Amino acid sequence: MDPTTRTAAELAAGIHSGELSSVEVTRSHLERIAKVDSEINAFLHVETEGALATAEKVDADIAAGRRPASPLAGVPLGLKDVLTTKGIPTTCGSRTLEGWIPPYDATVTRKLREADVVVLGKTNMDEFAMGSSTENSAYGPTRNPWDTTRVPGGSSGGSAAALAAFQAPVTVGTDTGGSVRQPGALTGTVGVKPTYGGVSRYGLVAFSSSLDQAGPCARTVLDAALLHEVIGGHDPMDSTSLNAPVPPVVEAARRGASGDLRGLRVGVVTELGGEGYQPGVLRSFAAAVDTLRELGAEVAEVSCPNFEYALSAYYLIAPSECSSNLARFDAMRYGLRVADDGTNGADDVMSLSREAGFGAEVKRRIIIGTYALSAGYYDAYYGSAQKVRSLVTRDFDAAYDQVDVLVSPTAPTTAFRVGERVDDPMSMYRADLCTIPTNLAGTAAMSVPSGLSDEDGLPVGLQIMAPALADDRMYEVGAAYERARDAAAGGALADRIPEL
Amino acid sequence: MTTKTETMDYDEVLERFDPVLGLEVHVELSTRTKMFCGCPNAFGGEPNTHVCPTCLGLPGALPVVNGSAVESAIRIGLGLNCEIAGWCRFARKNYFYPDMPKNFQTSQYDEPIAFDGYLDVELGDGETVRVGIERAHMEEDTGKSLHVGGATGRIHGADYSLLDYNRAGVPLIEIVTKPITGAGRRAPEVARAYVTALRDLLRAMGVSDVRMDQGSLRCDANVSLSPKGDEAFGTRSETKNVNSLRSVERAVRYEMTRQATLLSRGERVVQETRHFQEADGTTSAGRPKETSEDYRYFPEPDLVPIAPSSAWVEELRSTLPELPWERRRRIQQEWQLTDEELRDLVNTGAADVVAATVDAGAPVDDARSWWVQFLTEQANSRGVDLADLPVTPAQVARVIALISEGTLTNKLGREVVLGVLAGEGDPDEVIASRGLEVVSDDSALTAAIDEALAAQPDVVEKIRGGKVQAAGAIVGAVMKATQGQADAKRVRELILQRCGAE
């Protein structure tokens, strides 16, 4: 059987029992990347030698009877190009970091290395994680394996597409306003935004510090859980990292697979649906809610009135933080430097390098954020947005008093066509309508495929949200739902991805 | 066009205007590591060797607050009689400058860790002025730029610039006074006395090495004038580059005169940053601040808020070391000094160093005479304040101890201290490297004595004849031959012995 179609859990079991070799598994994924990535463009860098070296080490360990370093030892993975990798280029999808080789590993990278996970390479993304389609990458858009005329969502579009194109069984993405979940929905894969502080941000090149969170992407809920436990946990290098144990997500995913959700209270968020949503998405969502009910869950409708303002608040907070975070790209220490021909002063070299290095969307957000933080506007914009943020958090608190998890569609539509929304930022921003509230509140959420939309045959995502540090709860629900969905459809959704 | 500037007489300035001062002092804390990373916090070093991803602002790197810097900040706040915030945050101050790695400075804005305090400052004549403290907040230092080429040494006009980030991220405390009004004629003196008192306080608390010459204590002086009797403050200038206590006083006085001259001619004072020129005591225009820079402050999202518990604050309060004014009260009693004697000691800047030398084990009289005489001469000849001499009270105490045990003579002791001042290390290192120990080995001395005796047989005759005081000539010859490293008393004993005149 082709190793690229198997799950990470299956590959790990095979490798650790000696039945499969990590080198073979790694090679087949590298070959798959070589075969399909000219079409998909999910990878910005492929680390062939490093990947094979890790795989060889794992095979040698297993042959020598040593315990694998982690449950995912020897399993290949793609890493979003926003996490630093010592000795391996990190571009953040931007021209400004072309050729930059970080001298240090992100904590996520370090944990993956320590776990002997095989890092295949760095995945494509919207520049500095700003975008919902991966069209904002300076290195060309990533295509959706379900239909290569369509986008895979973003900003972690490369990480999601790599899963759907069977280039990797697991990947790491980052989610600031939905950047893991929305691509998961659009590619029919699982994407998780852990509780803020659950995964270290050290070495995650910041877009919006108070919202950014790295999370696992996979084709199954269990695979996501296995990766979550490898990358999660407290990190003294990140002062916003939570000093709490990683919620037992693997155990929860396994328990959920038994398919019993009796006693679970599920809230359907009134404000996340209805007008402006694609009818096929709403039908898929309604069917998913029925499935949860059939599994024994009690379903109720819950209102979160302030979610209405979440998108606006997000597009003030995130650009504000971004305008400050991206100030460091000034050509003085690293990155693209232009106009340094002896005729320009430092100020001009800085401006001209930033002009040349950043794409249009990044510039737009820097300008919005700079404006929102300006004297005289701060209270009206950044200040008001922070108040909305508190109100959204309160809505969640009130909702979780009534129910255990909340559900909604992950995105209002299925995958849109490449180029369709590039000139209409507002319609692009609306792709994150359902995912943003969770980032504002710092709570947890995941997207699990809920099948295909009946009108266009494209994947739809079910968003399951849980309170802070109750990540395990959504894994249990997600795994139960996934099993029921596959049973009803007569097989895994991934089996229906068209041949490339 | 050259117009000779007629500057106004100081008395006239005061007849017509009231000065208002605001002093901002930046203090580099002497913590082991930097404010937000584990890099060593050390002055100097090869450029860009005390750096890491965090203090270089590399993409993805994050800050973590240095707990001992917070502790020092709270101690400083307590020493300045401030309220300590029960909850406060860092904020980002956004502006572009090449020596600032992230192009924002992590600082504190509207939530300083300490606020609303005061410092009582004693002037030369014993009068005490209470200076209000607006706030003391934590922040990080920037790197250093060296602008090469160009006339001014500033970035404009330079051919190129070199950047050293060793200082980037060094913990700073910025202490801001409330407006100091009503000082009148004595405003320059009050400014100097305030910085002096603050420096003494910080040194006593051991939180900084407070070296103005090395930039670990930096003062920006804001000066404005109001027409006599007018309550409203005038337009202020902010003078930077004020690198000594004397400069603080000179800069304030110069600015008062300069502004008064402008105002009396019907011109206006421009709100701007000015640079103090050490050479002629003037200030020159720097960056105009007319369009006040918008720093776009917002709470630093990479750091969690700081919430010092009241138990911790009280523990720090109860473990504050003896503060300078307490120490002065104590030494006055213990050394039985009159108010005037104490004030002389304080005014020469010697009180604290003498006390610290005594604390390090030296007798009071020795400690006083070393600091008030020899070291004061050294400070004056170098144009620095006594306390800024690169010798510590402990080092002085060590020299005094070595003299009293006979290892050094007074003369050698002074030479050892000169070695310390020259940066040759601790007294014992200077003694070893310069070979300064008293020659106490009798056999080495007898050779020199015999030579001297053989050279002056007539003197030997006199000694043998009972004229013991004639031995002085031989002692002198021996001391010369041993380059002063012999113990003269012992030499004399040996001479008398060899001449059989004991």
Side-chain angles (χ1 to χ4, degrees), chain A residues 1-12 15 20-36 43 74-77 120 160-171 189 218-220 223 494-495 497-500:
Chain A
M1 192 179 177
D2 179 1
T4 62
T5 61
R6 298 175 67 171
T7 67
E10 288 164 0
L11 292 173
I15 292 165
L20 286 171
S21 97
S22 174
V23 169
E24 269 171 47
V25 169
T26 301
R27 278 226 173 84
S28 33
H29 283 93
L30 290 168
E31 282 160 17
R32 177 74 183 170
I33 293 169
K35 180 165 170 247
V36 304
F43 281 85
V75 173
L77 165 143
L120 295 168
L163 299 170
F166 302 100
Q167 295 168 305
V170 279
T171 55
T189 58
R219 289 192 294 268
T220 70
D223 282 2
D495 298 344
I497 300 172
E499 281 290 323
L500 283 169

Side-chain angles (χ1 to χ4, degrees), chain A residues 49-75:
Chain A
E49 278 178 32
L52 288 171
T54 307
E56 279 163 21
K57 175 184 180 287
V58 172
D59 286 343
D61 280 350
I62 302 297
R66 285 189 286 269
R67 271 172 63 90
S70 78
L72 287 181
V75 173

Side-chain angles (χ1 to χ4, degrees), chain B residues 352-365:
Chain B
D352 291 323
V353 283
V354 170
T357 306
V358 171
D359 289 346
V364 176
D365 290 344

Side-chain angles (χ1 to χ4, degrees), chain A residues 84 92 97 100 103-104 196 200-206 209-210 236-240 320-321 323-330 332-334 346-347 350 354 369-371 373-376 378 382, chain B residues 52-65 89 92-104 110 155-156 159 161 163 165 294-305:
Chain A
T84 62
C92 299
L97 279 181
W100 183 57
Y104 79 105
Y196 183 79
S200 170
R201 288 189 301 113
Y202 187 75
L204 190 179
V205 180
S209 315
S210 72
M237 298 292 277
D238 172 3
S239 110
T240 62
S320 294
E321 292 184 9
S323 72
S324 174
N325 282 329
L326 269 63
R328 70 188 63 197
F329 300 101
D330 65 0
M332 293 295 119
R333 292 157 296 277
Y334 44 78
D347 285 352
M350 282 188 189
R354 287 166 69 78
T370 303
Y371 186 79
L373 289 175
S374 300
Y378 180 94
Y382 186 80
Chain B
C52 73
T54 295
C55 59
L56 279 178
L58 293 190
L62 294 175
V64 176
V65 174
R89 286 182 293 188
R92 292 187 183 178
K93 180 181 183 181
N94 295 286
Y95 65 97
F96 282 84
Y97 202 80
D99 63 17
M100 198 164 59
K102 298 166 293 182
N103 286 318
F104 62 79
D110 49 358
I155 191 163
H156 293 290
D159 294 335
S161 301
L163 295 167
Y165 294 102
D294 183 352
Y295 293 119
R296 291 174 287 119
Y297 281 102
F298 72 104
E300 166 59 277
D302 283 330
L303 293 169
V304 290

Side-chain angles (χ1 to χ4, degrees), chain B residues 476-498:
Chain B
V478 172
M479 292 306 286
K480 196 174 173 190
T482 57
Q483 283 152 359
Q485 278 176 247
D487 177 353
K489 207 172 127 208
R490 180 71 188 142
V491 171
R492 188 183 172 82
E493 280 170 16
L494 289 172
I495 292 168
L496 296 181
Q497 210 175 2
R498 291 190 92 70

Side-chain angles (χ1 to χ4, degrees), chain A residues 7-233:
Chain A
T7 67
E10 288 164 0
L11 292 173
I15 292 165
H16 299 172
S17 68
E19 184 189 317
L20 286 171
S21 97
S22 174
V23 169
E24 269 171 47
V25 169
T26 301
R27 278 226 173 84
S28 33
H29 283 93
L30 290 168
E31 282 160 17
R32 177 74 183 170
I33 293 169
K35 180 165 170 247
V36 304
D37 209 48
S38 56
E39 204 174 344
I40 302 300
N41 199 27
F43 281 85
L44 294 178
H45 174 84
V46 179
E47 185 63 15
T48 307
E49 278 178 32
L52 288 171
T54 307
E56 279 163 21
K57 175 184 180 287
V58 172
D59 286 343
D61 280 350
I62 302 297
R66 285 189 286 269
R67 271 172 63 90
S70 78
L72 287 181
V75 173
L77 165 143
L79 189 57
K80 187 177 181 180
D81 205 23
V82 74
L83 290 149
T84 62
T85 40
K86 186 176 181 176
I88 300 174
T90 300
T91 68
C92 299
S94 181
R95 198 57 74 194
T96 201
L97 279 181
E98 188 167 12
W100 183 57
I101 299 184
Y104 79 105
D105 272 338
T107 297
V108 166
T109 308
R110 176 177 61 75
K111 285 179 177 249
L112 291 170
R113 291 194 205 264
E114 286 167 6
D116 279 347
V117 173
V118 176
V119 177
L120 295 168
K122 307 295 290 289
T123 59
N124 202 358
M125 56 185 284
D126 284 302
E127 184 176 8
F128 288 107
M130 297 178 208
S132 306
S133 67
T134 317
E135 290 167 290
N136 295 336
S137 168
Y139 306 96
T142 299
R143 303 279 172 160
N144 191 325
W146 289 83
D147 174 352
T148 54
T149 68
R150 292 177 188 269
V151 302
S155 65
S156 311
S159 290
L163 299 170
F166 302 100
Q167 295 168 305
V170 279
T171 55
V172 176
T174 63
D175 189 314
T176 304
S179 282
V180 160
R181 289 162 288 161
Q182 182 259 8
L186 270 51
T187 58
T189 58
V190 176
V192 178
K193 203 282 298 179
T195 298
Y196 183 79
V199 178
S200 170
R201 288 189 301 113
Y202 187 75
L204 190 179
V205 180
F207 156 24
S208 179
S209 315
S210 72
L211 300 162
D212 296 341
Q213 188 60 201
C217 310
R219 289 192 294 268
T220 70
V221 173
L222 177 61
D223 282 2
L226 289 165
L227 181 54
H228 191 138
E229 290 196 359
V230 169
I231 62 175

Side-chain angles (χ1 to χ4, degrees), chain B residues 99-393:
Chain B
D99 63 17
M100 198 164 59
K102 298 166 293 182
N103 286 318
F104 62 79
Q105 182 187 28
T106 306
S107 178
Q108 292 194 290
Y109 180 47
D110 49 358
E111 296 164 344
I113 186 143
F115 54 94
D116 201 13
Y118 62 86
L119 183 61
D120 285 331
V121 171
E122 198 175 337
L123 304 184
D125 63 357
E127 190 195 329
T128 298
V129 175
R130 177 161 290 190
V131 174
I133 304 294
E134 179 79 33
R135 56 189 282 155
H137 74 245
M138 299 177 281
E139 61 186 29
E140 59 180 338
D141 212 341
T142 61
K144 277 184 183 165
S145 305
L146 179 64
H147 304 299
V148 183
T152 58
R154 297 195 208 137
I155 191 163
H156 293 290
D159 294 335
Y160 60 94
S161 301
L162 298 172
L163 295 167
D164 176 6
Y165 294 102
N166 283 353
R167 197 182 69 178
V170 162
L172 285 183
I173 304 293
E174 180 177 337
I175 299 157
V176 183
T177 64
K178 294 178 177 169
I180 302 168
T181 56
R185 169 177 304 279
R186 304 190 79 173
E189 196 190 336
V190 169
R192 178 184 183 148
Y194 166 73
V195 179
T196 308
L198 183 59
R199 185 199 59 181
D200 292 348
L201 170 70
L202 298 169
R203 182 184 287 121
M205 291 199 290
V207 292
S208 168
D209 57 9
V210 286
R211 296 280 303 271
M212 290 188 89
D213 57 328
Q214 289 186 354
S216 59
L217 188 150
R218 311 195 276 273
C219 176
D220 300 341
N222 290 277
V223 177
S224 69
L225 296 182
S226 311
K228 208 79 184 166
D230 192 339
E231 293 284 294
F233 294 168
T235 305
R236 69 187 162 86
S237 65
E238 179 181 0
T239 303
K240 293 184 180 287
N241 198 33
V242 192
N243 295 329
S244 71
L245 295 171
R246 186 165 160 262
S247 300
V248 173
E249 188 167 355
R250 290 170 82 202
V252 169
R253 186 176 167 127
Y254 179 81
E255 271 303 293
M256 286 168 61
T257 310
R258 184 187 71 86
Q259 293 183 13
T261 308
L262 284 174
L263 294 169
S264 64
R265 282 204 229 115
E267 294 174 32
R268 62 192 192 97
V269 174
V270 178
Q271 186 169 337
E272 65 189 350
T273 300
R274 298 186 67 85
H275 294 268
F276 183 67
Q277 315 292 338
E278 194 76 48
D280 60 1
T282 64
T283 67
S284 64
R287 193 154 40 99
K289 274 201 163 179
E290 286 293 89
T291 51
S292 78
E293 199 158 347
D294 183 352
Y295 293 119
R296 291 174 287 119
Y297 281 102
F298 72 104
E300 166 59 277
D302 283 330
L303 293 169
V304 290
I306 293 172
S309 70
S310 51
W312 187 36
V313 173
E314 288 318 307
E315 186 197 321
L316 293 176
R317 193 194 303 276
S318 66
T319 54
L320 282 182
E322 184 180 43
L323 299 178
W325 47 91
E326 296 166 346
R327 168 182 275 179
R328 280 169 206 163
R329 214 177 300 133
R330 176 173 63 80
I331 59 178
Q332 182 175 19
Q333 269 187 343
E334 284 180 8
W335 307 351
Q336 300 187 328
L337 304 175
T338 65
D339 285 353
E340 205 181 342
E341 282 170 330
L342 177 69
R343 199 151 60 235
D344 286 346
L345 213 48
V346 169
N347 288 346
T348 54
D352 291 323
V353 283
V354 170
T357 306
V358 171
D359 289 346
V364 176
D365 290 344
D366 289 343
R368 273 178 74 183
S369 92
W370 271 89
W371 285 105
V372 172
Q373 292 163 25
F374 180 67
L375 287 165
T376 297
E377 282 164 24
Q378 292 302 316
N380 289 343
S381 72
R382 283 154 210 252
V384 301
D385 293 306
L386 194 54
D388 283 341
L389 278 177
V391 61
T392 64

